Amino acid sequence: MISSIRDPGRLRLRTPRTRGACYPSRSKNLTAEAAVASARVSAMDLRPISIAATCAALNLGLGKIASLLMLPVYLDAIGTVLATALVPLPYALATGVASSLLGAVLINPATPFYTGTQVTIALVAFLGVRLGAMRRAYTAAIWGIVVGLAAALVSAPVTVVVFGGVTVSNATAINAVLMAAGHHIWQAVIAGSALIEAIDKPVACLLSWVILRRLPARLRPQG
Amino acid sequence: MRDHPITPTGALIWTIALVAATAGPGALPGILATVAGLMVAMIRARSLSPFRQTLRWSLPICLPLLSIHSLLNPAFVETARWGWLPFREAGFAYGSVRCTTIVAFVVAAVIWRGTTREAVVRSAIRAHVPTQVVVLLALTASTFSTIQRRIPRTLDAQRARGVIADRAILSRIRALVAVIVPVVITGLVEADVRAKFLRARGLGDSSMAVIGTDKRPLRGVIADASISGAAIAIGWLLRG
């Protein structure tokens, strides 16, 4: 235990695998220095993990509001966009991946196939946050269109190859109309997804901008 | 009768079996493996809810998929016409194969719904999944339930305040902001507080285990492994 305590970076790797006990007693050799280092690990890790988990849950839950208000948006990426502004990039990526994986059990079994889309949204939104796109409403909306187009391009192959061109109801209707008009399935899916995402993602980015402005100061991102 | 008869290990093995059965071009093994998985899930749960959930999730994808490819997709040649409605046989076959795969994935998700959050967390810790990942997934699942409960309450509160006055589109967009902002901000503030609580309870402290990991009876593990192994074997035999 002492060897692991001397290297704070290895603390998490040396967690004892004690079975049958809720809180095993602390080691007698836990020094004050190690306690401080351990607390630092907690302080660094738990807050972003907790915020990332909430953002992932928001990705999964906010669609319900849009459906209750009968609005043609999905709001399945607000959490990811917010996470890029509130926590470091790896946690924002984890937000997207966690919401995709858990969405399969909680919302819709199709969501894990769109994990790449969530990762793309996180990367493009992170770039936007870094470039200052979230400072004004109009830049947030414009960056939302960029996020939407990137998301449409990444999700189109999954929609065609795995789901045969069928996706969420509104986009499926557009795809069907375009295919009935004689367009190839790829053209129909890319056009349909781009149209839907170009409405949904700017709304998500604008809402994120509103939320970031109204957050308590202690939670607001610096800079 | 057990309320949650499906263990995470069993669900994982079933998922692998279903994906393996539907990975090839043959649709029949996929269908059989899917049906077998669903039957076992239903028999072990002693209820029809896995069937109902499978239908609830599959139909909104499979019905449009079959319709689009057998009626609309111009990539397939029209083989018959019912009045003004064209029919494309190759499109129907393609749609059927896609539907089989989708139903298999849906069944895998339904089987996972038969497990409990606690069991999944225990299994993940036993399988040496990094604590951060386990905490992230467990917190996401619990926060999701909280948010789901909070949304109708916030909606009702804003309706009582007169924010959602009519069904006009502009009013609904205003309502969207009025409902989402409090839900999200409350959630984020709670996340901050929750992190402090977890830290106060010792999570992240390397000298403490996250939660207890009790042993599963060996009989249950063997039962899961044999049923799942038999399913995988049947799937692979039928592929040949």
Side-chain angles (χ1 to χ4, degrees):
Chain A
M1 182 58 76
I2 290 173
S3 63
S4 68
I5 289 167
R6 280 179 186 156
D7 182 2
R10 297 175 68 187
L11 280 170
R12 276 167 287 156
L13 299 175
R14 291 295 184 93
T15 303
R17 305 290 172 190
T18 312
R19 288 174 184 269
C22 278
Y23 292 104
S25 61
R26 280 167 176 264
S27 164
K28 288 176 184 172
N29 298 319
L30 187 67
T31 61
E33 185 190 352
V36 171
S38 173
R40 200 180 300 133
V41 170
S42 311
M44 281 171 62
D45 290 343
L46 277 176
R47 190 171 171 274
I49 287 176
S50 184
I51 289 176
T54 301
C55 289
L58 290 170
N59 273 348
L60 298 172
L62 290 186
K64 189 178 176 180
I65 299 178
S67 67
L68 283 172
L69 294 170
M70 290 177 291
L71 287 167
V73 285
Y74 307 114
L75 307 176
D76 57 353
I78 282 191
T80 310
V81 174
L82 278 173
T84 56
L86 295 174
V87 292
L89 181 62
Y91 293 98
L93 294 173
T95 301
V97 174
S99 61
S100 297
L101 293 181
L102 284 176
V105 183
L106 300 171
I107 303 288
N108 185 344
T111 54
F113 297 96
Y114 293 98
T115 306
T117 308
Q118 285 285 352
V119 169
T120 307
I121 290 169
L123 290 172
V124 179
F126 179 76
L127 189 66
V129 169
R130 284 289 157 137
L131 293 173
M134 284 295 170
R135 285 186 191 144
R136 290 180 185 81
Y138 73 92
T139 50
I142 291 169
W143 200 258
I145 295 171
V146 176
V147 172
L149 291 178
L153 283 176
V154 175
S155 58
V158 177
T159 305
V160 173
V161 175
V162 181
F163 297 102
V166 173
T167 175
V168 284
S169 52
N170 297 353
T172 302
I174 296 169
N175 297 349
V177 168
L178 289 172
M179 271 195 262
H183 290 280
H184 193 267
I185 186 169
W186 281 95
Q187 293 170 334
V189 168
I190 289 174
S193 302
L195 186 64
I196 294 289
E197 298 284 8
I199 297 169
D200 185 49
K201 296 301 177 283
V203 171
C205 284
L206 272 174
L207 283 169
S208 302
W209 172 76
V210 172
I211 290 160
L212 288 172
R213 273 166 55 93
R214 297 186 188 178
L215 269 182
R218 69 173 190 282
L219 287 177
R220 214 173 287 165
Q222 303 299 314
Chain B
M1 181 184 152
R2 288 180 295 170
D3 289 328
H4 296 281
I6 301 166
T7 60
T9 318
L12 184 66
I13 297 171
W14 272 110
T15 308
I16 294 167
L18 286 167
V19 172
T22 52
L28 185 62
I31 293 169
L32 289 174
T34 302
V35 171
L38 189 56
M39 289 298 287
V40 170
M42 195 197 73
I43 289 164
R44 297 196 75 189
R46 293 182 196 173
S47 77
L48 286 173
S49 63
F51 273 127
R52 276 199 294 268
Q53 190 62 49
T54 305
L55 283 177
R56 200 176 297 144
W57 272 345
S58 303
L59 287 180
I61 305 175
C62 291
L63 283 181
L65 199 151
L66 274 177
S67 312
I68 283 176
H69 292 292
S70 55
L71 303 175
L72 298 175
N73 192 349
F76 299 109
V77 181
E78 189 181 319
T79 49
R81 184 170 272 274
W82 303 320
W84 54 270
L85 208 60
F87 180 71
R88 304 161 202 271
E89 204 177 320
F92 183 77
Y94 171 79
S96 305
V97 173
R98 291 283 106 222
C99 284
T100 308
T101 315
I102 288 165
V103 170
F105 293 137
V106 170
V107 169
V110 169
I111 288 174
W112 275 101
R113 278 176 79 96
T115 63
T116 61
R117 196 163 62 212
E118 291 75 18
V120 172
V121 168
R122 277 198 204 98
S123 300
I125 292 169
R126 241 194 333 257
H128 299 258
V129 175
T131 310
Q132 288 174 319
V133 176
V134 177
V135 172
L136 176 70
L137 293 177
L139 281 182
T140 304
S142 65
T143 313
F144 172 74
S145 329
T146 313
I147 288 172
Q148 287 286 88
R149 281 196 301 272
R150 186 171 294 144
I151 286 170
R153 282 209 302 263
T154 313
L155 202 65
D156 289 343
Q158 298 294 43
R159 196 170 278 139
R161 289 182 187 117
V163 176
I164 309 166
D166 52 51
R167 303 188 80 80
I169 185 82
L170 276 176
S171 167
R172 279 186 280 149
I173 290 171
R174 269 199 304 275
L176 184 71
V177 179
V179 176
I180 280 185
V181 172
V183 168
V184 174
I185 290 181
T186 314
L188 290 172
V189 169
E190 278 178 6
D192 194 40
V193 175
R194 193 183 299 117
K196 285 173 188 161
F197 281 165
L198 288 173
R199 200 176 121 200
R201 288 175 187 179
L203 187 68
D205 185 340
S206 64
S207 64
M208 289 186 178
V210 180
I211 61 168
T213 50
D214 56 345
K215 277 186 176 176
R216 270 188 63 209
L218 187 62
R219 206 170 48 181
V221 176
I222 292 171
D224 270 341
S226 14
I227 294 169
S228 310
I232 294 173
I234 292 168
W236 280 102
L237 281 174
L238 287 169
R239 282 166 69 95

